[in-house]
Amino acid sequence: VAPNIPMYVIRGTVDGTWITVRVFFGTQHPDQATLQSAQHELNGLTPPATTTAYQPPGWLVQEAAKIAAVNDDPNPTSAEWVLTSSKLIAPAVGLTPDQVSGREYLVVLHGQFTDTGAYTPPGVPAPTGTVVAFTLDPTTHQVQDFGVGNQTVDVPGLQPFTLATTNVPTPSPASPPPRLSVTGTLRLPETAFGIAADRGSMWLAAYGHVIGVDASGMTLTANIPVAHLDDQDGIAASAGTAWVTVGSKRKVVAIDEATGKIQGSVKIAGQGQPVQVAADGSNVWVISATSGNGLVSHIDATSGTVTSQTGLSSGPKMPIAAAEGVLWVGEGDGLWEIRADGFATQVPGIGSVSALAFDGSLWASSDNELLRIDPLTGAVQARIPVFADSLSIDGATVWGLISFQRPSVVAVDTRTNELLGEGAHVGGRPAWLEAGFGSGFFLDFNAARLLRVGAPPSG
């Protein structure tokens, strides 16, 4: 190489192995943006401030700080990270290489930790350890797997980083809410991936079937064949009818809950496949996934006809809630109200949301807190320090599913806007939550089971 041609060296990891790439930019020196682009093309790392220190993305540092605080040690003695093969990481978080694929961030923290999200029987203390190891999805930034123990984690490419401890909410040790308890468990005959409540029953979407469950006795009551139903589809139930999307056939199927028979189906026109459904009496809304933005279709449940279609500015799946003849949709950086005639208006002053529920007030999970919103004015009436990936309401209780670290269930009293109880670890991901009949119901995909979570014990 001629000595007058600029050469830059970029280092990073590929499947756990540190490599060096020499990049030649011809006769012109590249600007800083070009160098940063080259670095990101290699492995998604933030370019180092020096020639020896490699720093993780800022969002990763913040997530690590939150996990440390939640697990009772907001100031760990050390922290390490690496972006590498999921198969290489698997043993560090208690998995085997055949259970994972792709690439993930691995974060390892050292300190004195308590696994506050672990499910333990009454009277049994939560697990403790000197090491927290967890993985993060590079795209969604969500925690994938998590563990607390005393193991040594030795993964090639692990690099130290400084943990951010400022502006991290540390749980208060004073008078914590009581622990919610699992009051019932049902092993399912097959894996299920959607849940809805109506008239004393839970309705579950499974591969090729809809399963009925008596919520009180936690017993199976129906197993209804629905051809081509798969894990890209959704389910809703209202006014004695369960509705399931069958995206591959571009239709929504209606099931009579009383008889367990299919009443009929509604074809959804337009591009894309229906993947989400919400129902409120005679109003049914379906969101279709397209190659671009989503599409909302309104169905008159009485006539079984599509009465309007409304385009969205982003793609599903997204938080939705149906009530009082309106569909609430969180999309992009805002919250929208869509009427049965397709007219859509944006709720002012509300940013992006991750979950929605309605009981006269609109409840939205946004920016690490639960918001109670006046649906007429958009005014925030209460803020509760709970972040949930899914919300569901039953009576005076808002139930929330928290997937941070491990799935757990929390409950908020709508009369006081205060936590009724915190949830123990109830299973793995993916998972779904539905409220009904005085309880929260947790659907565990991988374990093929349904858990009923009750209110805190009195006295």
Side-chain angles (χ1 to χ4, degrees):
V1 179
N4 63 332
I5 296 180
M7 178 183 75
Y8 293 83
V9 177
I10 300 173
R11 298 188 67 232
T13 58
V14 175
D15 293 333
T17 302
W18 280 95
I19 65 171
T20 299
V21 177
R22 292 175 173 82
V23 184
F24 301 93
F25 294 93
T27 59
Q28 300 296 319
H29 288 268
D31 58 21
Q32 186 64 26
T34 302
L35 283 174
Q36 289 177 338
S37 176
Q39 179 74 62
H40 281 275
E41 285 294 322
L42 174 62
N43 63 353
L45 304 178
T46 300
T50 71
T51 58
T52 57
Y54 293 84
Q55 295 301 312
W59 62 264
L60 182 149
V61 178
Q62 293 298 321
E63 287 298 313
K66 291 178 184 178
I67 286 181
V70 167
N71 288 279
D72 286 350
D73 190 347
N75 298 296
T77 55
S78 66
E80 298 174 291
W81 74 289
V82 67
L83 173 63
T84 188
S85 165
S86 298
K87 294 184 180 297
L88 193 66
I89 291 173
V93 288
L95 301 176
T96 57
D98 62 326
Q99 293 179 289
V100 293
S101 61
R103 292 169 64 79
E104 293 177 308
Y105 287 99
L106 170 66
V107 179
V108 181
L109 307 176
H110 294 86
Q112 298 296 325
F113 303 103
T114 300
D115 189 350
T116 57
Y119 171 71
T120 56
V124 177
T128 60
T130 59
V131 176
V132 163
F134 61 94
T135 60
L136 293 161
D137 186 291
T139 302
T140 66
H141 302 174
Q142 295 295 306
V143 176
Q144 300 300 299
D145 295 288
F146 171 90
V148 172
N150 298 302
Q151 75 278 18
T152 299
V153 178
D154 184 14
V155 174
L158 276 171
Q159 291 286 297
F161 71 98
T162 301
L163 197 65
T165 57
T166 58
N167 300 320
V168 176
T170 301
S172 171
S175 302
R179 180 70 62 89
L180 298 173
S181 58
V182 176
T183 60
T185 302
L186 175 64
R187 294 289 178 181
L188 302 174
E190 52 198 306
T191 297
F193 44 80
I195 182 170
D198 190 35
R199 297 188 174 181
S201 294
M202 308 304 297
W203 297 94
L204 315 179
Y207 292 102
H209 293 82
V210 169
I211 300 171
V213 176
D214 176 73
S216 176
M218 291 292 280
T219 56
L220 296 173
T221 59
N223 198 332
I224 306 159
V226 179
H228 308 289
L229 181 63
D230 65 29
D231 56 23
Q232 296 304 303
D233 292 312
I235 187 168
S238 179
T241 301
W243 299 83
V244 287
T245 64
V246 183
S248 62
K249 297 302 178 180
R250 300 176 185 269
K251 67 180 181 180
V252 183
V253 173
I255 298 172
D256 186 325
E257 296 173 11
T259 64
K261 303 294 184 181
I262 293 178
Q263 295 176 310
S265 62
V266 181
K267 279 287 187 180
I268 305 299
Q271 294 184 344
Q273 299 182 354
V275 293
Q276 286 180 276
V277 59
D280 174 39
S282 63
N283 295 291
V284 179
W285 284 269
V286 177
I287 296 183
S288 297
T290 71
S291 57
N293 299 328
L295 179 69
V296 175
S297 300
H298 174 266
I299 299 172
D300 181 330
T302 303
S303 63
T305 57
V306 176
T307 63
S308 67
Q309 290 189 310
T310 306
L312 299 172
S313 62
S314 58
K317 296 184 175 181
M318 56 190 62
I320 58 175
E324 299 182 354
V326 171
L327 179 70
W328 305 91
V329 181
E331 60 157 344
D333 292 327
L335 177 61
W336 290 79
E337 173 188 342
I338 301 178
R339 300 189 323 214
D341 61 5
F343 183 77
T345 56
Q346 187 171 12
V347 179
I350 305 299
S352 61
V353 299
S354 62
L356 290 169
F358 188 90
D359 69 342
S361 294
L362 184 65
W363 296 83
S365 185
S366 176
D367 294 331
N368 295 320
E369 59 185 354
L370 179 60
L371 306 179
R372 184 173 191 162
I373 301 169
D374 183 331
L376 298 178
T377 65
V380 176
Q381 299 172 317
R383 298 176 182 269
I384 300 98
V386 170
F387 177 80
D389 303 291
S390 178
L391 295 172
S392 188
I393 294 179
D394 175 55
T397 305
V398 179
W399 295 85
L401 173 63
I402 301 175
S403 293
F404 178 68
Q405 289 192 39
R406 299 179 179 182
S408 61
V409 177
V410 297
V412 174
D413 190 333
T414 63
R415 296 163 297 188
T416 63
N417 298 326
E418 295 180 351
L419 271 177
L420 278 173
E422 294 181 324
H425 170 53
V426 287
R429 286 182 302 270
W432 292 262
L433 174 74
E434 181 74 355
F437 328 115
S439 298
F441 292 81
F442 175 88
L443 179 60
D444 188 330
F445 177 86
N446 289 321
R449 65 178 182 170
L450 180 66
L451 300 182
R452 184 178 60 207
V453 180
S458 60

